[in-house]
Amino acid sequence: MKPLLRRLGGLTLAAVISLAAPALAAPAPVSGYTVVKSYPHDTRAFTQGLLYRDGFIFESTGLQGRSFIRKWSLETGAIEAERTIDSRFFGEGIVDWKDRVYALTWTDQVGFIYDINSFETLGEFSYPGEGWALTRDDKRIMMSDGTAFIRFLDPETLKETGRIQVTDDGVPVTKLNELEWVKGELLANVWQTTRIARIDVATGRVKGWIELAGLLPEAGVRGDRDDVLNGIAYDAAGDRLFVTGKLWPKLFEIKLTEGK
């Protein structure tokens, strides 16, 4: 360090370390959006999980005695299949894997495995703590539990294989809720906010935020009670991003605008 000090004309040690170290992290930039199209959404649906597959929206809902899993046509809104969840359970997020749907419950530490076409029960699985949401890439399932952590699960055994802590500018981001895998990034609703986090799953760092506050008046909701933003689905083939909220009358297709 002494030769470096001489070359830098006697700067303090702290100044030298500051120059030599990588730049400190800064808060992630915030992106906006434009609405491409809106679709009708069932105002009875307390949306917990959302995914797009082959022209259909798969949706799971919560609330005790009102939880269900549903498959409905994006274009017509027609319900193709539906399964009511046992009233003992508060339904949470879902994900598709091959010919199956995996579904979480909130505090019972049990999940259910359904046939993706008939919603017939194929089995159960367990996990510690709370269950909030699921999504996947081609090799693994990602799970949120209401904390700042994302768990990685083996898609065949549903056993945890690792986890990351999500942070923005070094600060943990808690209340991570509904998830979606989009173009190599993990998108996560943050419960009771109007923002979606864009997460680098290699580091846990929030790369950016999507601010969706403007959707509330377009949906005709206030978002200050149960009607909060929640639900992200992505059509990879068509490059279409969909968002909605709990008890919202609309589901929106949006395009992201440049972050600031």
Side-chain angles (χ1 to χ4, degrees), residues 132-143:
W132 283 42
L134 298 167
T135 192
R136 66 171 178 86
D137 59 16
D138 293 336
K139 297 180 180 179
R140 57 187 174 178
I141 288 172
M142 287 151 268
M143 172 181 169

Side-chain angles (χ1 to χ4, degrees), residues 121-257:
T121 303
L122 301 178
E124 299 182 3
F125 60 101
S126 62
Y127 47 86
E130 296 185 359
W132 283 42
L134 298 167
T135 192
R136 66 171 178 86
D137 59 16
D138 293 336
K139 297 180 180 179
R140 57 187 174 178
I141 288 172
M142 287 151 268
M143 172 181 169
S144 63
D145 57 14
T147 69
F149 287 92
I150 295 294
R151 310 180 194 186
F152 299 111
L153 310 180
D154 181 289
E156 295 295 340
T157 66
L158 297 171
K159 299 299 183 183
E160 184 174 338
T161 59
R163 61 175 62 193
I164 55 169
Q165 185 179 42
V166 176
T167 61
D168 180 22
D169 196 19
V171 178
V173 178
T174 60
K175 298 183 179 179
L176 297 173
N177 202 356
E178 224 279 297
L179 306 173
E180 185 71 14
W181 184 252
V182 180
K183 298 180 181 178
E185 295 178 347
L186 179 63
L187 302 190
N189 283 121
V190 180
W191 185 49
Q192 294 182 318
T193 78
T194 56
R195 287 190 170 188
I196 291 174
R198 297 172 48 214
I199 302 163
D200 179 348
V201 294
T203 64
R205 184 176 62 87
V206 174
K207 300 169 62 176
W209 294 95
I210 306 167
E211 176 55 71
L212 296 173
L215 283 182
L216 273 63
E218 290 201 49
V221 300
R222 295 181 58 177
D224 57 356
R225 296 177 67 84
D226 289 334
D227 56 350
V228 296
L229 184 78
N230 198 53
I232 315 168
Y234 182 60
D235 169 17
D239 190 22
R240 297 186 294 171
L241 182 64
F242 306 100
V243 295
T244 192
K246 300 175 185 290
L247 312 176
W248 282 24
K250 294 181 181 180
L251 177 144
F252 297 93
E253 178 188 344
I254 62 171
K255 286 285 187 185
L256 303 185
T257 58

Side-chain angles (χ1 to χ4, degrees), residues 58-79:
F58 288 76
E59 183 173 17
S60 61
T61 70
L63 299 178
Q64 217 89 26
R66 290 175 51 187
S67 300
F68 61 79
I69 296 176
R70 176 182 289 172
K71 174 185 177 182
W72 52 277
S73 169
L74 178 64
E75 296 301 329
T76 68
I79 299 172

